């Protein structure tokens, strides 16, 4: 009987622990003003602070079954400004953000809302994970800051109605696939004052995470030294509009333009535009083209020529055909005529 009671006590302690280990976005702070609980936040479920399990669970979007925009107020926010979302375990603001051993990242996404209040596609605007230098997680920072997390709204997005999705991923059970816990809520915002030039890459939720992602399937108890936050890169104002220098074709174009239409010798043949016989080199244009191909632009990836291959291409170039050893008209013809004239003069001198 004593063993039975001990098991009951342990189970009760676990239930109490778990009941106080959850969290939710309780309220917002906009323009320095703290809003009431739930203001502009999609409606909570009855178990408002319980986690979502499973990366394909539809609740991972906003942790609510009510996805109608009409049931929630809209809060006005300026593009380029910083607002605050506030996490707490319980309904009162005095409770901590989350149980201190529920280590994991804090993430925020934005999505333009459709006419029926649905997200049209998400882009990440904030993330904080593990700092290896201080050995602190975002959860540590969050609890030290009374649950407050500052989020900057990009200044170049379009004006309109948005969903802001704040999220904590708790990894204390993530050493097993499917063990990660997602604490997320969605905030309805009307954003204005942006330049409208943003072109962030969009992701879908569910869909952005996989159960075997390194940042989802993660063991907190094996002496880790680093952590990879799951999902896309954080969008910064103007970051996607820039041309990617590593995009296919950009390197070839740049190399071709840097050649400037000339070979390595400034566009001239090694022989100054003349052959050994004093005539013009008819192969100069071909020689310049060959030099550009061999030296002015990078080799094709598939071909991947070695230095030996490059030497072979030079030896078979049209410029090589102008050398005396391969010329059909030997350059020594004229010197022979000059030697005959010298011999004739010597004979006349002897007479």
């Amino acid at each position: 009987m004593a063993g039975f009671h001990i098991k009951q006590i342990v189970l009760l302690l676990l239930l109490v622990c778990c009941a106080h280990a959850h969290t939710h976005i309780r309220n917002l702070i906009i323009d320095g003003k703290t809003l009431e609980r739930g203001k502009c936040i999609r409606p909570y479920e009855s178990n408002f602070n319980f986690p979502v399990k499973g990366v394909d669970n539809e609740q991972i979007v906003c942790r609510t079954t009510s996805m109608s925009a009409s049931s929630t107020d809209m809060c006005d926010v300026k593009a380029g400004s910083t607002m605050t979302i506030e996490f707490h375990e319980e309904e009162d603001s005095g409770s901590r953000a989350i149980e201190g051993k529920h280590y994991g990242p804090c993430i925020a996404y934005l999505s333009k809302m459709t006419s029926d209040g649905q997200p049209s596609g998400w882009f990440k605007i904030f993330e904080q994970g593990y700092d290896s230098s201080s050995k602190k997680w975002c959860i540590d920072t969050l609890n030290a800051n009374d649950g407050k997390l500052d989020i900057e709204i990009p200044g170049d997005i379009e004006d309109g109605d948005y969903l802001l999705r704040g999220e904590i991923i708790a990894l204390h059970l993530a050493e097993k696939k499917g063990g990660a816990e997602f604490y997320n809520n969605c905030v309805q915002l009307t954003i204005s004052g942006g330049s409208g030039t943003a072109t962030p890459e969009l992701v879908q939720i569910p869909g952005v995470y996989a159960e075997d992602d390194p940042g989802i399937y993660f063991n907190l108890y094996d002496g880790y030294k680093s952590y990879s936050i799951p999902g896309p890169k954080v969008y910064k104002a103007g970051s996607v509009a820039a041309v990617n220098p590593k995009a296919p074709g950009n390197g070839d174009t740049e190399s071709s333009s840097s050649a400037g239409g000339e070979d390595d010798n400034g566009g001239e043949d090694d022989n100054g535009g003349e052959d050994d016989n004093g005539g013009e080199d008819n192969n100069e244009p071909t020689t310049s083209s060959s030099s550009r191909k061999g030296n002015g632009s990078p080799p094709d990836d598939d071909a991947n020529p070695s230095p030996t291959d490059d030497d072979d291409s030079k030896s078979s170039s049209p410029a090589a055909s102008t050398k005396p050893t391969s010329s059909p008209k030997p350059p020594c013809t004229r010197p022979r005529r000059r030697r005959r004239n010298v011999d004739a003069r010597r004979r006349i001198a002897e007479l």
Side-chain angles (χ1 to χ4, degrees):
M1 291 292 293
F4 176 75
H5 288 301
I6 291 174
K7 289 181 180 179
Q8 282 185 319
I9 292 172
V10 171
L11 180 60
L12 180 61
L13 289 173
L14 287 173
L15 289 174
V16 171
C17 168
C18 293
H20 292 279
H22 300 158
T23 190
H24 71 305
I25 297 179
R26 181 191 179 276
N27 59 272
L28 312 176
I29 302 176
I30 301 176
D31 293 333
K33 181 181 179 182
T34 300
L35 306 184
E36 63 188 46
R37 178 180 183 264
K39 179 75 171 179
C40 299
I41 301 172
R42 287 282 169 96
Y44 305 120
E45 299 293 296
S46 57
N47 53 349
F48 62 90
N49 61 0
F50 275 55
V52 175
K53 300 277 255 179
V55 297
D56 296 322
N57 190 331
E58 288 298 326
Q59 289 279 305
I60 203 173
V61 183
C62 294
R63 202 166 36 152
T64 183
T65 55
S66 178
M67 290 297 290
S68 171
S70 60
S71 60
T72 306
D73 293 331
M74 303 292 299
C75 282
D76 293 328
V77 175
K78 293 293 184 182
S81 68
T82 297
M83 60 174 290
T84 302
I85 57 178
E86 196 167 324
F87 284 90
H88 289 284
E89 284 184 335
E90 304 297 341
E91 294 185 27
D92 65 281
S93 60
S95 60
R96 63 185 174 182
I98 192 171
E99 201 281 324
K101 298 299 182 182
H102 281 30
Y103 297 130
C106 310
I107 303 173
Y109 293 85
L110 268 183
S111 173
K112 199 83 177 286
M113 277 202 310
T114 62
S115 58
D116 59 352
Q118 301 299 311
S120 58
W122 302 91
F123 56 100
K124 186 188 287 185
I125 60 170
F126 175 89
E127 65 179 20
Q128 184 179 335
Y130 176 69
D131 184 348
S132 58
S133 60
S134 64
K135 294 181 171 52
K136 298 290 186 180
W137 286 86
C138 178
I139 300 306
D140 298 313
T141 305
L142 202 62
N143 277 322
N145 200 32
D146 296 326
K148 297 178 178 66
L149 193 66
D150 292 338
I151 307 294
E152 182 180 353
I153 305 300
D156 61 349
I157 59 177
E158 290 182 323
D159 292 352
D161 293 338
Y162 285 81
L163 284 173
L164 185 151
R165 178 182 177 274
E167 173 180 58
I168 292 173
I169 304 177
L171 303 170
H172 57 291
L173 300 176
E175 74 275 10
K176 296 181 179 179
K177 286 186 179 180
E181 295 182 348
F182 299 86
Y183 297 94
N184 51 281
N185 294 99
C186 291
V187 177
Q188 292 192 170
L189 303 174
T190 298
I191 300 176
S192 61
S195 65
T197 59
T199 55
E201 294 185 16
L202 304 181
V203 297
Q204 297 301 316
I205 301 175
V208 69
Y209 301 143
E211 292 291 4
D212 57 356
D213 283 347
I216 302 293
Y217 179 40
F218 184 82
N219 193 340
L220 283 171
Y221 316 107
D222 68 347
Y224 62 90
K225 294 183 179 180
S226 62
Y227 171 78
S228 298
I229 299 174
K233 292 182 179 180
V234 173
Y235 174 75
K236 296 294 184 182
S239 61
V240 179
V243 175
N244 181 3
K246 295 184 179 180
N250 285 347
D252 295 340
T253 303
E254 184 174 349
S255 296
S256 298
S257 61
S258 66
E262 298 181 356
D263 63 12
D264 293 344
N265 297 314
E268 295 182 356
D269 193 347
D270 292 339
N271 298 316
E274 296 183 358
D275 64 9
D276 293 337
N277 297 316
E280 293 182 355
D281 185 0
N282 294 330
N283 294 321
E284 181 183 353
T286 307
T287 304
S288 299
S289 176
S290 176
S291 178
R292 286 197 302 272
K293 184 176 181 181
N295 303 316
S297 59
D300 295 338
D301 291 338
D302 295 336
N304 193 22
S306 63
T308 303
D309 294 332
D310 192 49
D311 291 340
D312 290 342
S313 66
K314 289 179 181 178
S315 66
S316 61
S317 67
S321 65
T322 64
K323 293 182 179 181
T325 56
S326 59
S327 175
K329 295 181 180 181
C332 60
T333 302
R334 292 173 185 169
R336 279 204 298 271
R337 290 193 189 102
R338 287 194 292 269
R339 281 198 295 271
R340 290 193 192 101
N341 293 337
V342 171
D343 292 342
R345 292 193 201 100
R346 286 176 182 173
R347 291 192 193 98
I348 292 171
E350 290 173 356
L351 293 174

